[in-house]
Amino acid sequence: CMNLPTYPPKGQRRSLDQLWLTKLNQEGRGAMPPSIPKRPQALGLAVTQFNQGLYWQCHETLEEIWMSEEYPLRLFYHGLIKAAVGLLHLQRHNRVGAGKKLIEAECTLAPFIPDMMGIDIAKLLADIRQRLALIDRDLLSIQDSIDPLPAVQIHDSG
């Protein structure tokens, strides 16, 4: 059992993110704090923004929480940020940017399946994987295959 810092020292966030993801993937929920805090009000706002397709605003709202949060919940917020940014790229028909961020979101959020803080992570990741499959398959036009789909939504678990 490795004891990792709960907040990244300057310049070490990416490497500490990787170490925490490894720990979460190995230990699962055992790597989580004994009690998960109640869903902050700002997360509720971010979910509303996300579900309205206001991905940039959602990213900004989540960044406020993420910046001060400690690991491992820090990764949960970061994964939601990556999902919002990936969907923003998709909205703008930027296939490469969307694919990169959605893959990062998938990897970062996977340890939080099936749910975290009342959010159905399993459903969110299923929707993200559907978009990734279409991005991979559709070499010509995102508009034709993805734009007609219902928007990805964050659902409450339970």
Side-chain angles (χ1 to χ4, degrees), residues 124-137:
L124 177 59
L125 289 183
D127 291 344
I128 285 172
R129 287 184 192 112
Q130 178 196 34
R131 297 312 193 272
L132 285 169
L134 290 169
I135 290 169
D136 282 349
R137 196 178 68 214

Side-chain angles (χ1 to χ4, degrees), residues 47-64:
V47 167
T48 299
Q49 291 166 331
F50 187 102
N51 288 344
Q52 291 174 348
L54 302 172
Y55 301 121
W56 180 255
Q57 293 88 330
C58 172
H59 156 276
E60 292 291 299
T61 301
L62 286 169
E63 205 166 63
E64 287 289 311

Side-chain angles (χ1 to χ4, degrees), residues 15 41 51 96 98 101 109 120 127-128 140 156:
S15 59
Q41 214 171 348
N51 288 344
V96 174
K101 287 300 168 191
L109 289 171
D120 186 340
D127 291 344
I128 285 172
L140 296 173
D156 286 339

Side-chain angles (χ1 to χ4, degrees), residues 8 12 16-17 29 41 45-46 52 57 63 79 95-96 103-104 113 122 129-130 133 138 141 149 157:
Q12 293 182 25
L16 199 52
D17 280 2
R29 295 279 170 156
Q41 214 171 348
L45 173 61
Q52 291 174 348
Q57 293 88 330
E63 205 166 63
R95 177 196 320 280
V96 174
I103 287 168
E104 288 176 11
I113 292 172
R129 287 184 192 112
Q130 178 196 34
D138 176 23
S141 167
L149 293 175
S157 57

